[in-house]
Amino acid sequence: MNDKELQQLSINAIRATVIDTINKAKSGHPGMALGSAPIMYALFTRHLVADPNDPMWFNRDRFVLSAGHASSLLYTMLHVAGYKVSLEDLKSFRQLGSLTPGHPEFKHTAGVDATSGPLGQGIAQAVGMAMAERAIKAQYPQGKFVCDHYTYALCGDGCLQEGISQEAISLAGHQKLNKLILFYDSNAITLDGKLDLSFSENVKLRFKASGWNVLEVKDGNDVEAIDEAICKAKTSKSKPTLIIVQTVIGYGSAKQGTNKVHGSPLGDEDGANAKAFYGYKAQPFEIPSEVYKHFEDTFAKRGKEAHKQYEEALKVWKEAHSGAAKKLEKALAGDVSSYFKKEPKFASDDALASRNSSGKCLNELYNKIPFLMGGSADVAGSVMTKIDGGIDFTPRTAKGRNINWGIREFAMASAQNGMLLHGGVKTYVGCFLVFADYMKAAVRMAALSKLPAIYLFSHDSIAVGEDGPTHQPIETLAMLRSIPNCNVIRPCDSRETFAAWERALQSKETPTALILSRQNLPILGSKYKEVAKGAYVISKEAKRIDATLVATGSEVGLAIEAQKELLEKGIDVRVVSMPSWFDFENQSEEYKNEVFGICRCKRFAIEMLSTFGWHKYAAHVMGIDTFGASAPAKEVIKAFHFTKDDVVKFVLEGLAE
Ligand SMILES: Cc1ncc(C[n+]2csc(CCOP(=O)(O)OP(=O)(O)O)c2C)c(N)n1
């Protein structure tokens, strides 16, 4: 068999296996998978550098299947390329507990570099990976090889229709991410039908306008042309590259070129026809040994050799640069424990808005943790994410760790996911709490992907004041708290804010959102170590407990003020600070009951946001279930009944019920 025949046999085998995998599951998306098989073939056999024996090898090229619905193709590639994805795994595609879920999941399947499926996010994740690659390379000037690889992504029409793609593309062009290569499987069909039902822009011009190189491959079956385009893209010095590949959706199916083949199995008959069209004769799930060998001789050989050489060079480098080597080790492990040996001290004049406490904490940590980087969506001066004297991360100053994300909240959060998927950095992003909604899907993705992302959300209530209801979060906190595996911490003072930062940075598999105030908060009797428990008694009752006030953030101080007045009225109240529901839920029932100290019917929760969810902890809830109003903060707070007198009245009335 000559090279050309072996190449065709391999592509046919990939396509046939995609058909079999989806047919067996009776579920899946064959369309794009069949159309873009040659792209993946060219990438894997000729370019991608990764080691199937060590799928998490740090300096591997990254690959993101942004169009995650084509998962059958990725799993098939991983199988033939020698990853731990067996034929049995392909046969259990989309089944409970299998290694081959409906859409790719990071940390679930060996060789999957990113969770994907929600269209568009994969592009932003790839942008984040390329940013991390560049940043880390610059952080080790004595050993640039330590992190020096390409980031590839494959998207379809759907990804490019999503708004996040433009945010990400614009950012990548601005950052001149020349080692980012995006394939566009251009088949002019989406789920509902022809692309021109809803999309008519000039993608080429759009990317060019955003600072990208654009290359075109007219025939998606032309492996040489795809290869040539990748070779060219790799030589780019200052721009990311888009490779537009014209493909045929469902190539080989009787329904090829239509949306009928986008998301339904071909079935036995059409599957057999397609295989006959390819000239492929093997039985279902039978892959000729030549194909495996071909991938072993190309992809696996290249990756294993590169990995071996890397490890050898790394060993020599580590011996010569022990300080940098230690830093790298910590960065790769995401280990920050040594930076939190001592509890910081606070004085009463540290009364600060928690956004300012956070900024102070960040500035201290930034100098201690050399792999900590981040920034905000053009609100650095408001969310306090700017590092004093810090260098901006730019194409010229890639070692800079201040990231100017621009007003691109969704891409910012999604690219942060990419940076964390890449590894070797600790990151944070910031914006106003109310705009967390813009990035919700990426926060959810971080939680699902078990990434320790950090979100700094300031301007956390109606106390935003004059900017009015558009900028005053109400239901936002409930939204964040409802995301599984997402730790939402609303600290009540500087001490709790520092503790929350520690919690966020020490997290390995859980994203953390810090909910920060715009207005000043006094230093209370908070306890640094207790923050990790989610809730604790911050101000004890005098003698007996008549009621317990549970509050978070700015309302903890208010609760303590009300506590004093209630005592004067003969009502003895305990105050519990509850910065994190998430952490509290992980405590024992015994601890939970001990903290509240009284039955639910005598618990009073106060939070200047939606009451949604609070009834789980307290029978009486004081919150805001309407939109806010524009006026100076003090007036808005008064108008929404969040003064000491209101809290006192709330408790007295509740107890009288
Ligand atoms: C954010 C988001 N919206 C909707 C979907 C559902 N969906 C999956 S694939 C698809 C069509 C995508 O079209 P295209 O990228 O052209 O893929 P192809 O039809 O070529 O497979 C849609 C709407 C999704 N996965 N993510």
Side-chain angles (χ1 to χ4, degrees), residues 29 31-33 67 69 103 117-120 155-159 162 185 187 189-191 195 249 262:
H29 299 76
M32 177 174 170
H69 58 284
H103 293 83
L119 298 173
C155 75
D157 302 304
C159 290
E162 290 291 350
D185 172 76
N187 61 26
I189 296 288
T190 62
L191 193 155
L195 184 64
I249 191 167
H262 159 85

